[in-house]
Amino acid sequence: MSSPASDLVRPLARGAGRALQAVARHPASADLAETLYQRFLERRPRATRPPVVVVTGASAGVGRAVVRAFAEDRAKIGLIARGIDGLEGAKAEVEAAGGEALVLPCDVADAAAVERAAQAVEDRFGPIDVWVNVAFAGVLSRFVDMSLDDFKRVTEVTYLGQVHGTMAALKRMLPRNKGSIVLVGSALAYRGIPLQSAYCGAKHAIQGFHDSIRCELIHARSRVHVSMVDLPGVNTPQFDWIRTNLPKKPRPASPPFQPEIAARAIHWAAHHRRKRVIVGFPSVQAIFGDYVASSLLDHYLARTAFSGQQGEEKVAADRKDNLYQPVPGDHGAHGRFDATARTSSWQLWLNLNRGAVALAAAGVVGLGALGLSRRRRR
């Protein structure tokens, strides 16, 4: 049986929740989110020296957007990727923003090469403050149609690449008892989808790896922090160079987010001690939907995700992919879906400001309860 107090508070809480969501969904919320984010950048205590940051996958896509975000701090950035054209483009952008950059052509699947890159950064700029693992690879294919060599390659880049980067960072951060490592995960680390078995398996592995090393750092009472940012579909060049054996061009299953949204979450995670940051309401739906209706989602995705991940145009016979070699050229951060990509996320705004949101909601509920209580007394 519910109490009079719960009968009073419950509708108020529901109303407050609807009101906050309405505010967050309002077009002006994007401007508000940008304003709050800029204030965070302005008010964050300035380091006595520019931060030293390493970004893997820095040449294009989310990694390129992350480089731009840290360049706004005038950071000294080690740029790790395979594509030299994109790395040089990223370097020019960092320097134009007032930072410094070191180009480090490197395959993150090679642990020794990642270690050498980490040492080169510290030799040039000093101790690494932030390490961001973005680099990944993928194959769009049914598992039974995929080469096991290709599956292994995706695992080595997407999973072991983050392991190698984390090891190189921890080797340097632990003795100093400070530093921040960001693992870039995905909603697909919790809810696998067809045609991406290698990528989904690698992202699931990253999620387990994160839990494990986080426990070890807590046990050691280390001040080094490791966070994970779970991304939705993002409008990056990946859809033009991911390997595929399907007949039509790869595309995101739903309207993607612009890479700047992902970069904002990653930059924020690097400066806060939050374990996990989920980006975008579609990620929330996928992660928590799998908790409550995993089997139903299997059947739903079996019906929709095959055609949903392919566009209308056929794959060109001479199409190049980047699984084993980078595709030449500077491809920037954005893919070909600018017309449909989402430029803001009300869910991320609520997530990054959840303390203030919770306080505001409590205030609304409290004031409403007080008002109703006084009215009933009359």
Side-chain angles (χ1 to χ4, degrees):
M1 180 180 295
S2 61
S3 68
S6 64
D7 290 340
L8 175 65
V9 171
R10 192 177 295 114
L12 289 170
R14 285 198 297 265
R18 287 194 294 267
L20 287 168
Q21 191 175 82
V23 170
R25 285 182 181 274
H26 193 277
S29 67
D31 295 334
L32 178 59
E34 181 64 27
T35 299
L36 290 173
Y37 184 68
Q38 291 303 321
R39 286 181 180 175
F40 154 68
L41 294 180
E42 293 167 3
R43 294 178 182 178
R44 192 174 73 247
R46 295 290 180 182
T48 55
R49 61 178 176 81
V52 176
V53 181
V54 176
V55 180
T56 73
S59 62
V62 170
R64 184 69 167 268
V66 169
V67 169
R68 293 170 181 170
F70 280 100
E72 293 299 316
D73 300 334
R74 299 191 174 184
K76 299 179 179 182
I77 310 177
L79 307 171
I80 293 178
R82 295 172 302 160
I84 190 66
D85 297 331
L87 287 172
E88 291 293 347
K91 180 176 184 288
E93 291 176 348
V94 172
E95 293 174 345
E100 297 181 56
L102 178 62
V103 169
L104 298 159
C106 174
D107 186 341
V108 296
D110 183 341
V114 173
E115 170 60 26
R116 289 193 296 270
Q119 190 58 50
V121 171
E122 295 216 331
D123 289 345
R124 174 76 173 273
F125 297 139
I128 296 168
D129 299 298
V130 176
W131 187 292
V132 183
N133 291 300
V134 186
F136 75 94
V139 174
L140 200 65
S141 169
R142 292 196 315 158
F143 172 66
V144 294
D145 298 329
M146 190 187 309
S147 157
L148 286 180
D149 287 339
D150 288 357
F151 194 103
K152 180 181 178 182
R153 174 64 179 168
V154 172
T155 305
E156 289 176 339
V157 175
T158 307
Y159 173 46
L160 291 180
Q162 299 215 28
V163 171
H164 298 158
T166 301
M167 179 64 82
L170 287 176
K171 178 180 176 180
R172 291 159 175 82
M173 293 177 178
L174 285 174
R176 301 168 189 147
N177 200 31
K178 63 179 181 178
S180 178
I181 301 169
V182 183
L183 307 175
V184 175
S186 168
L188 303 186
Y190 306 86
R191 171 63 249 183
I193 62 174
L195 304 179
Q196 296 200 48
S197 57
Y199 178 82
C200 291
K203 289 297 185 180
H204 273 74
I206 292 166
Q207 189 267 328
F209 171 68
H210 176 225
D211 283 347
S212 182
I213 60 173
R214 179 176 161 83
C215 293
E216 292 172 5
L217 291 170
I218 293 170
H219 176 78
R221 298 184 179 178
S222 174
R223 293 295 299 164
V224 177
H225 183 66
V226 182
S227 58
M228 183 168 173
V229 179
D230 292 316
L231 301 183
V234 183
N235 175 34
T236 70
Q238 65 164 313
F239 297 100
D240 292 324
W241 63 33
I242 186 175
R243 175 162 291 194
T244 180
N245 60 15
L246 300 176
K248 296 182 178 180
K249 285 185 175 182
R251 71 170 187 184
S254 61
F257 288 82
Q258 292 290 30
E260 289 76 18
I261 304 299
R264 177 175 302 166
I266 291 166
H267 183 276
W268 188 93
H271 294 94
H272 293 77
R273 301 189 71 82
R274 182 88 65 85
K275 176 180 179 179
R276 180 172 64 161
V277 177
I278 300 175
V279 180
F281 190 62
S283 296
V284 176
Q285 289 177 303
I287 293 169
F288 291 98
D290 190 62
Y291 288 159
V292 299
S294 183
S295 182
L296 288 176
L297 279 176
D298 292 342
H299 289 274
Y300 172 76
L301 291 168
R303 290 196 306 270
T304 63
F306 281 75
S307 60
Q309 295 183 79
Q310 298 180 75
E312 297 299 323
E313 298 179 55
K314 291 186 177 180
V315 174
D318 60 350
R319 179 182 183 273
K320 296 179 180 179
D321 66 66
N322 75 338
L323 186 60
Y324 294 97
Q325 298 294 332
V327 176
D330 181 5
H331 302 275
H334 287 220
R336 67 179 190 272
F337 301 99
D338 279 337
T340 57
R342 309 179 215 202
T343 58
S344 65
S345 168
W346 62 265
Q347 176 275 338
L348 180 62
W349 181 85
L350 289 175
N351 193 355
L352 301 190
N353 296 279
R354 65 188 189 185
V357 169
L359 185 62
V364 169
V365 171
L367 289 174
L370 180 61
L372 284 177
S373 177
R374 287 178 175 176
R375 187 175 301 173
R376 287 184 175 182
R377 289 175 185 173
R378 292 176 182 174

